[in-house]
């Protein structure tokens, strides 16, 4: 199984070529320069691997949630390359990619969504009929204030993602007795996107290039006055007054 994967949902720009389980990866802390860096990174990686686009079974990208601009860049590049090569696209959850990268079996992922919120999802590995461990979704991706993230069942969960660095105290209080450790340094990476895309290709969960789309969760970044008041109330902050 050959996968080309892209991930630009955070400040990092990450590209991977997955060739039957062996991967070559390039990553850069790109900041706001994803659109400048991603195509040269892909070209360099393809050159090093000696691969043509048509040789891939799919092109995968981190579909979100994450940075609006970053998601659009990854989706647009994946669509263009896939259309040119005549291959399908795997739209992979960035939250699940963080869980995949943790190496754990019970993972609660919280990524910074700004505006005092986190992108949240919880996942567990369960045995499939083949005997292999597959991810199941305990809580689907959603946008939450840290004090109101969904509760977890039982203990032994690994907390992953930079939400645990920014909102560690509130999340630790919310998940008292549930977490075995936290790994705030974990982020979506193209390597993990590729690993998840392999199963998506096998399960025929890919889409045609023209049907690929990001998963935003938050559909806008500006709130009304009433919405800001409600959000501050949920965080326990003093309300605004007109």
């Amino acid at each position: 199984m050959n996968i080309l994967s892209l991930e630009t949902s955070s400040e990092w720009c990450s590209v991977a070529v997955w060739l039957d389980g062996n991967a070559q990866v390039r990553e850069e802390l790109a900041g706001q320069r994803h659109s400048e860096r991603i195509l040269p990174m892909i070209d360099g990686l393809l050159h090093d691997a000696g691969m043509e686009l048509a040789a891939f079974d799919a092109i995968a990208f981190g579909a979100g949630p994450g940075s609006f601009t970053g998601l659009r860049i990854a989706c647009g590049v994946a669509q263009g390359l896939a259309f040119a090569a005549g291959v399908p696209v795997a739209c992979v959850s960035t939250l699940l990619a963080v869980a995949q990268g943790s190496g754990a079996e019970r993972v609660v992922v919280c990524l910074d969504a700004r505006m005092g919120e986190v992108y949240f999802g919880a996942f567990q590995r369960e045995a499939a009929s083949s005997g292999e461990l597959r991810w199941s979704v305990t809580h689907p991706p959603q946008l939450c204030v840290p004090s109101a993230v969904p509760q977890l069942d039982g203990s032994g969960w690994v907390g992953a993602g930079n939400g645990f660095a920014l909102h560690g105290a509130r999340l630790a209080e919310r998940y008292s007795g549930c977490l075995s450790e936290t790994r705030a340094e974990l982020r979506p990476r193209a390597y993990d996107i590729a690993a998840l895309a392999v199963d998506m290709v096998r399960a025929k969960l890919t889409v045609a290039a023209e049907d690929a789309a990001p998963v935003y969760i938050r559909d806008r970044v500006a709130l009304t006055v009433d919405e800001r008041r409600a959000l501050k109330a949920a965080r326990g902050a003093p309300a605004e007054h007109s």
Side-chain angles (χ1 to χ4, degrees), residues 78-108:
Q79 284 181 307
L81 296 178
F83 184 80
V87 299
V89 175
C91 309
V92 181
S93 164
T94 52
L95 297 177
L96 186 57
V98 174
Q100 174 76 15
S102 74
E105 294 189 5
R106 308 184 87 191
V107 189
V108 53

Side-chain angles (χ1 to χ4, degrees), residues 183-206:
R183 298 185 59 189
E185 78 282 2
L186 293 177
R187 56 180 171 81
R189 300 183 62 196
Y191 175 87
D192 300 307
I193 296 289
L196 293 168
V198 169
D199 287 339
M200 294 179 68
V201 173
R202 289 174 177 160
K204 302 186 184 305
L205 296 176
T206 56

Side-chain angles (χ1 to χ4, degrees), residues 24 41 63 68 80 104 136 141 143 182 184 212 214 224 232 241:
Q24 297 182 38
M41 289 171 67
F68 278 46
S136 65
L143 185 68
T182 59
T224 66
K232 286 193 173 186
H241 296 285

